[in-house]
Amino acid sequence: MSSSAPNAVLSVSGIGKTYAQAVLSNIDLTLRRGEVLALTGENGAGKSTLSKIIGGLVTPTTGQMLFNGRAYAPGSRTQAEELGIRMVMQELNLLPTLSVAENLFLDNLPNHAGWISRKQLRGAAIEAMAQVGLDAIDPDTLVGELGIGHQQMVEIARNLIGDCHVLILDEPTAMLTAREVEMLFDQIARLQARGVSIIYISHRLEELARVAQRIAVLRDGNLVCVEPMANYNSEQLVNLMVGRELGEHIDMGVRKIGAPALTVKGLSRADKVLDVSFEVRAGEIFGISGLIGAGRTELLRLIYGADGADSGTVALGSPAKVVAIRSPVDAVRHGIALITEDRKGEGLLLTQSISANIALGNMPAISSAGLLNASDESALAQRQIDAMRIRSSSPDQLVSELSGGNQQKVVIGRWLERDCAVLLFDEPTRGIDVGAKFDIYALLGELTRQGKALVVVSSDLRELMLICDRIGVLSAGRLIETFERDTWTQDELLAAAFAGYQKRDALLDEAAPRDTL
Ligand SMILES: Nc1ncnc2c1ncn2[C@@H]1O[C@H](COP(=O)(O)OP(=O)(O)OP(=O)(O)O)[C@@H](O)[C@H]1O
Ligand SMILES: [Mg+2]
């Protein structure tokens, strides 16, 4: 066994896992004390499965593990945690109806003769949250009321409480804002200095390069390399992960841009979205860029009727006809779809098959006189599985058995078959591997060729620059500037993203002039 490696904390050898098919084969890997080991690979490559084996959630079919030189075969997550091997899972694991504090200390509530001390709990929670920079959140808040990024931070904070020798972070930043990512990186550095070993899973190459010393790449359940991070530049990393060249460009195909399909006028809500107007034509991709909190998701939610606007109108078609959208049901009836980043909130039914989930939004297409046609349902699902390369054994496979990125593809697939003229995408490629991203771009191109109008919100500027015909920049709730394809540069887009805040600060200064100056 490879336990003889210097500073080995954990070593796995010959680890394999077989469900209906083999998903991991013969993995040999050693984790060193105080290192950050990046683990990467395509959606469905087996990253989460390997983590769950180490974290005690999944029993391997073959192989052994050693922890600090002793045989290690955890029977449960609790057993692994007792030894200080902890894991932040890709899917959130919190109880939404309990408070932040209760979620943090679920396993060991501070108590006195059987009574939970509220005050003690609160104090401990504040301390734990400060560690991850969440000191602004009241620990009595119910977790369900927090945004998804904050929930992720609570999950991370929970795992930093108590003894921790090995920490597995499975896509920890997929839902975090830039500031939260920085907090997490600070934490990682601190843990590392204490000798904690970390396995860091992510599809974001720039993060891996920043945080990890070594990189391990899985492809189809096999470990294809374990090497020092410094041996690779980002292009080589992509090739390594995907096993094919992707290049910087994508051909979105020949597209015809038609008449206006969506016309938004003066849309406002509180201080989040301020007087936003724009137009998207059939066959066009309109990107929305901006900093976190600029109002991008809020804007999409207003158009979709998920929140009510204070003022403004949404009109469809050409000539534009104003439609009353008071709820998502109205939106869907008018042919507007919203595809969000929140898989669970999106109503993905984990205990149902891929075909059932894809069919969910598409009843009219596969039922006649109210009867569901199972073979049509299957054919529909198979079409999406092929189009998006959803890694699965069949359309009947349960969604809960899919990897995280492949679940995301099912969410998208559900809407693609629907007859919607306007599709709103909020961070469509989060958690999706680099290769699959290009599949999704191709799919967006296909939608535009069908004459649909697309609005895409993304934090990834390069992504927007790659796929959009125009990019509007939101800043402090206002649509500051709109750029046409080929007239933008990354710097100009960034400058616009900040512009609204400077303007707002200037106005505030005017309203309340300072004594000095
Ligand atoms: N309980 C299960 N039953 C059957 N197959 C499963 C089960 N859990 C995972 N798989 C399969 O194992 C493979 C690896 O999944 P895993 O979640 O480890 O991938 P991943 O590398 O974490 O992908 P992602 O980047 O999308 O998160 C997938 O093809 C998945 O469908
Ligand atoms: Mg995963």
Side-chain angles (χ1 to χ4, degrees), residues 450-492:
Q450 294 169 15
K452 308 194 179 211
L454 271 51
V455 180
V456 178
V457 164
S458 173
S459 302
D460 185 346
L461 260 186
R462 275 169 305 177
E463 168 168 298
L464 290 181
M465 292 164 69
L466 206 56
I467 63 171
C468 295
D469 299 291
R470 284 184 301 141
I471 299 177
V473 182
L474 273 185
S475 186
R478 288 182 194 281
L479 192 65
I480 286 277
E481 205 170 343
T482 301
F483 296 84
E484 298 281 331
R485 186 167 193 94
D486 297 328
T487 69
W488 59 54
T489 65
Q490 193 162 335
D491 289 349
E492 283 172 327

Side-chain angles (χ1 to χ4, degrees), residues 47-48 90 170-171 201 403-405:
K47 305 177 295 292
S48 297
Q90 191 170 10
D170 193 352
E171 300 257 1
I201 301 175
S403 75

Side-chain angles (χ1 to χ4, degrees), residues 42-49 51-52 90-91 170-171 201 203 343 402-406 431:
E42 291 186 272
N43 294 133
K47 305 177 295 292
S48 297
T49 305
S51 318
K52 286 179 188 163
Q90 191 170 10
E91 303 300 328
D170 193 352
E171 300 257 1
I201 301 175
H203 293 292
R343 286 194 279 275
L402 297 184
S403 75
N406 284 299

Side-chain angles (χ1 to χ4, degrees), residues 150-376:
H150 282 153
Q151 291 192 17
Q152 177 82 58
M153 289 307 271
V154 172
E155 177 92 45
I156 291 169
R158 195 176 81 86
N159 279 284
L160 296 181
I161 294 167
D163 238 11
C164 179
H165 301 296
V166 171
L167 178 64
I168 304 171
L169 297 166
D170 193 352
E171 300 257 1
T173 58
M175 287 170 263
L176 301 186
T177 65
R179 183 173 158 268
E180 290 163 341
V181 171
E182 289 309 314
M183 301 271 192
L184 177 65
F185 283 3
D186 286 350
Q187 268 304 316
I188 288 178
R190 230 172 294 166
L191 290 168
Q192 232 185 324
R194 259 172 43 196
V196 177
S197 310
I198 295 168
I199 298 177
Y200 189 94
I201 301 175
S202 174
H203 293 292
R204 298 185 181 175
L205 298 177
E206 62 280 8
E207 274 177 15
L208 298 183
R210 250 188 82 185
V211 81
Q213 289 81 54
R214 289 195 305 154
I215 180 163
V217 180
L218 281 173
R219 196 182 302 151
D220 292 330
N222 296 295
L223 196 62
V224 293
C225 92
V226 192
E227 289 200 51
M229 198 75 210
N231 288 4
Y232 290 92
N233 66 27
S234 62
E235 201 178 323
Q236 290 165 325
L237 278 178
V238 171
N239 293 345
L240 197 66
M241 277 178 63
V242 185
R244 61 186 153 116
E245 301 251 349
L246 287 174
E248 277 292 294
H249 297 283
I250 179 174
D251 185 3
M252 297 291 278
V254 182
R255 297 185 284 137
K256 217 174 88 231
I257 294 186
L262 170 73
T263 309
V264 172
K265 271 214 177 95
L267 218 49
S268 299
R269 178 182 162 90
D271 60 351
K272 297 276 187 219
V273 177
L274 301 164
D275 195 22
V276 170
S277 305
F278 64 91
E279 193 181 87
V280 189
R281 287 164 290 171
E284 187 181 35
I285 303 182
F286 183 68
I288 296 182
S289 160
L291 306 176
I292 300 288
R296 299 168 306 172
T297 295
E298 288 82 355
L299 174 61
L300 295 190
R301 290 175 59 85
L302 286 186
I303 299 172
Y304 189 62
D307 296 321
D310 298 335
S311 58
T313 57
V314 171
L316 294 174
S318 191
K321 194 165 155 276
V322 172
V323 287
I325 296 172
R326 291 188 200 86
S327 69
V329 175
D330 288 345
V332 171
R333 207 173 42 224
H334 282 110
I336 303 177
L338 172 65
I339 297 97
T340 73
E341 53 188 308
D342 176 6
R343 286 194 279 275
K344 281 191 182 161
E346 188 73 33
L348 199 59
L349 303 176
L350 293 174
T351 56
Q352 301 269 338
S353 67
I354 302 173
S355 37
N357 270 280
I358 289 181
L360 206 62
N362 297 290
M363 291 310 181
I366 48 168
S367 63
S368 61
L371 291 175
L372 275 191
N373 181 332
S375 68
D376 284 354

